[in-house]
């Protein structure tokens, strides 16, 4: 059965800051099954759940708030109010520079994981490209996984190419046993990323992207390789060569018309 098609609302952040309700209605009208928030834009988590219910949208994961040891209590409260059973974490470039950094990052994650699981949540981790750089011939993220047993992953398939240096299908297969969620973006795989900044606690890495199906990512092969237990694909366009609403509509049409995912239309 085809996976449900979701959208990461980070894609619509510029518009959501002005009228969040309007953007949620756009997502529902386009046909997406659900959303993954990246901020609630001054809506209480419990109220946000009601808005989604009224629009016929689901939410099974969120990027807000982002788990750290200094805010984990607040994160768990927010997740509970939002009706979530999973909590996200993630790191920056400096957290994966060398073996010592990877070990420190794993130790930090294990502390987070212990707290989260004690409170009946699952911790999962989101990636960018730098985790897929090789160290002594091995993928850094794979080394990290050995040091952090039991961690679950939200695999961003585009970033997993490490900007064209790795095969995303091979990376998906490598981490398949621990994947709980999939992000799908598309674009020119081999490119330079012009730096990064933290915006509202989220790492922004400007990258040239296209609507799904209009870039170089082997999306059909990736969809075929997604583990059966993963029941959704989340479209995330951090930036795009087209107007974002158009890009999300075209991404939806590509995925659903090719039976790569299912929506509500």
């Amino acid at each position: 059965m085809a996976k449900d098609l979701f959208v990461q609302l980070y894609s619509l952040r510029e518009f959501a800051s002005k009228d969040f309700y309007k953007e949620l209605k756009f997502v529902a009208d386009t046909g997406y099954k659900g959303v993954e928030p990246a901020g609630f834009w001054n809506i209480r988590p419990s109220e946000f759940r009601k808005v989604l219910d009224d629009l016929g949208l689901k939410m099974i994961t969120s990027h807000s708030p982002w788990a750290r040891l200094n805010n984990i209590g607040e994160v768990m409260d927010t997740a509970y109010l939002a009706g979530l059973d999973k909590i996200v974490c993630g790191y920056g470039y400096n957290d994966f520079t060398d073996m010592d950094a990877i070990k420190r990052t794993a130790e930090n994650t294990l502390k987070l994981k212990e707290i989260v699981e004690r409170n009946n949540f699952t911790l999962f981790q989101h990636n960018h490209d730098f985790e897929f750089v090789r160290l002594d011939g091995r993928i850094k993220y794979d080394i990290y996984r050995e040091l952090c047993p039991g961690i679950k992953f939200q695999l961003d398939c585009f970033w997993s190419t490490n900007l064209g240096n790795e095969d995303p299908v091979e990376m998906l297969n490598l981490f398949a046993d621990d994947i709980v969620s999939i992000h799908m973006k598309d674009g020119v795989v081999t490119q330079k990323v012009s730096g990064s900044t933290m915006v509202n606690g989220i790492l922004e890495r400007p990258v040239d992207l296209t609507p799904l199906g209009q870039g170089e990512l082997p999306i059909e092969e990736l969809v075929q390789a997604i583990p059966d237990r993963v029941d959704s694909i989340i479209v995330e366009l951090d930036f795009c060569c087209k107007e974002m609403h158009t890009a999300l509509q075209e991404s939806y049409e590509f995925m659903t018309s090719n039976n790569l995912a299912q929506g509500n239309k």
Side-chain angles (χ1 to χ4, degrees), residues 10 13-14 128 159 193-207 238-239:
Y10 180 70
R13 61 196 179 281
E14 294 180 14
H128 290 86
W159 286 126
V193 176
S194 56
S196 62
T197 56
M198 293 297 292
V199 178
N200 296 323
I202 296 175
L203 185 72
E204 281 201 349
R205 294 174 59 75
V207 60
D238 310 46
F239 305 89

Side-chain angles (χ1 to χ4, degrees), residues 157 182-185 212 217 219 222-223 233-236:
C157 293
I182 291 287
H183 268 207
M184 199 74 74
K185 51 174 64 82
L212 268 57
L217 203 70
I219 293 177
L222 286 164
V223 170
I233 297 170
I234 303 168
V235 178
E236 182 186 40

Side-chain angles (χ1 to χ4, degrees), residues 127-169:
N127 67 275
H128 290 86
D129 58 301
F130 45 79
E131 298 95 331
F132 288 83
V133 171
R134 289 186 180 261
L135 179 65
D136 296 330
R138 290 190 60 194
I139 300 292
K140 289 182 177 181
Y141 220 26
D142 197 28
I143 297 171
Y144 168 81
R145 176 170 57 170
E146 286 187 359
L147 297 170
C148 195
I151 185 65
K152 301 302 180 184
F153 296 103
Q154 177 179 75
L155 187 74
D156 187 300
C157 293
F158 184 90
W159 286 126
S160 76
T161 69
N162 182 24
L163 304 175
N165 290 292
E166 301 294 340
D167 182 326
V169 179

Side-chain angles (χ1 to χ4, degrees), residues 22-181:
K22 180 180 179 181
E23 298 311 310
L24 292 173
K25 187 174 187 303
F26 160 77
V27 171
D29 289 346
T30 300
Y32 282 95
K33 285 275 190 177
V35 298
E36 182 180 61
F40 294 112
W41 300 103
N42 299 320
I43 300 176
R44 297 192 317 273
S46 54
E47 173 65 16
F48 184 69
R49 290 173 60 187
K50 183 178 184 303
V51 172
L52 294 185
D53 287 342
D54 290 345
L55 289 170
L57 293 170
K58 296 187 286 188
M59 173 179 60
I60 55 178
T61 55
S62 175
H63 277 202
S64 181
W66 200 267
R68 298 179 181 85
L69 285 173
N70 64 2
N71 74 342
I72 190 60
E74 174 191 347
V75 168
M76 291 188 294
D77 281 344
T78 302
Y80 176 78
L81 291 170
L84 298 167
D85 61 3
K86 297 181 182 65
I87 288 174
V88 67
C89 69
Y91 298 96
Y93 174 83
N94 291 335
D95 300 303
F96 282 85
T97 51
D98 54 25
M99 183 60 77
D100 287 341
I102 295 170
K103 287 179 179 178
R104 287 194 300 270
T105 303
E107 289 172 1
N108 181 83
T109 304
L110 286 172
K111 292 175 184 176
L112 273 176
K113 182 173 174 291
E114 190 277 327
I115 296 169
V116 163
E117 290 181 351
R118 191 190 330 137
N119 288 275
N120 300 314
F121 294 100
T122 296
L123 185 70
F124 70 96
Q125 186 162 334
H126 182 71
N127 67 275
H128 290 86
D129 58 301
F130 45 79
E131 298 95 331
F132 288 83
V133 171
R134 289 186 180 261
L135 179 65
D136 296 330
R138 290 190 60 194
I139 300 292
K140 289 182 177 181
Y141 220 26
D142 197 28
I143 297 171
Y144 168 81
R145 176 170 57 170
E146 286 187 359
L147 297 170
C148 195
I151 185 65
K152 301 302 180 184
F153 296 103
Q154 177 179 75
L155 187 74
D156 187 300
C157 293
F158 184 90
W159 286 126
S160 76
T161 69
N162 182 24
L163 304 175
N165 290 292
E166 301 294 340
D167 182 326
V169 179
E170 290 182 7
M171 294 301 100
L172 197 160
N173 288 329
L174 178 62
F175 289 90
D177 289 346
D178 299 305
I179 290 173
V180 296
S181 181

